[in-house]
Amino acid sequence: MKKFTTRKLVLAALFAALTCVATMSIRIPIYGTQGYIHPGDALVILCGVFLDPVSALLAAGIGSALADLLGGYFIYVPITFAIKGLVAFCGSQLYHGHLGASLHPQAAVAFCGVIDIVFVALGYCLCEIFLYGLPAAVASVPSNIVQGVSGLVIAFILYPLLHGAFERISA
């Protein structure tokens, strides 16, 4: 296990703040649901790419849950923390693990985006079955897929721009 450092803490806090801001900054309401599409998933994906698994889980989970808390989606705070944290944790494991080492970095980012799409769509669907019933939960899946795809596209664009800067900061 890597040693805890102030730099690691600051980077995780920065990613948590950026995730919250990205989630709250641009909101495209989804007709028929209480939700919205946002670019925050791109930062959740990038948490997994740039941070170790535990830091990624905490940064993505806290940043996304904080956006729900500040946005008035109180019931989703623990759900979002768990789902987005798990996405970032698994993405970090993939990116920094054996599979990530054998892939081109942008292909690994794409795989992290696929993790996001699957976990978000299925995770929220499963939780919403208990909150709203099966028909409403299934109705939210397409918008969660669109949100995940948009996050993947944005993360794919941001990765080369941030990679060099992150390497200089984390060295």
Side-chain angles (χ1 to χ4, degrees):
M1 182 168 182
K2 289 185 176 181
K3 186 176 119 179
F4 174 79
T5 63
T6 303
R7 179 176 292 170
K8 189 175 176 179
L9 175 65
V10 169
L11 286 173
L14 175 65
F15 270 98
L18 288 172
T19 301
C20 180
V21 169
T23 302
M24 296 185 76
S25 63
I26 301 172
R27 292 182 174 189
I28 302 168
I30 301 167
Y31 179 75
T33 72
Q34 299 283 332
Y36 55 95
I37 295 173
H38 56 80
D41 275 14
L43 271 294
V44 170
I45 294 165
L46 293 174
C47 283
V49 168
F50 291 122
L51 302 174
D52 66 272
V54 174
S55 297
L57 181 146
L58 293 172
I62 290 170
S64 298
L66 186 59
D68 279 353
L69 181 67
L70 295 173
Y73 295 90
F74 304 114
I75 197 164
Y76 282 99
V77 170
I79 297 167
T80 296
F81 177 83
I83 292 171
K84 301 297 176 128
L86 186 61
V87 165
F89 180 86
C90 292
S92 180
Q93 291 280 34
L94 175 117
Y95 188 85
H96 299 290
H98 296 294
L99 181 59
S102 64
L103 293 173
H104 185 277
Q106 284 189 302
V109 172
F111 276 107
C112 292
V114 171
I115 289 172
D116 178 74
I117 294 166
V118 171
F119 281 33
V120 168
L122 291 178
Y124 280 105
C125 182
L126 288 173
C127 291
E128 289 173 349
I129 289 171
F130 299 104
L131 294 172
Y132 309 117
L134 183 61
V138 171
S140 73
V141 170
S143 61
N144 283 326
I145 291 172
V146 169
Q147 178 180 315
V149 169
S150 66
L152 169 59
V153 169
I154 294 167
F156 200 74
I157 292 168
L158 288 177
Y159 174 78
L161 301 172
L162 297 177
H163 181 69
F166 187 81
E167 290 298 316
R168 285 190 299 276
I169 290 171
S170 64

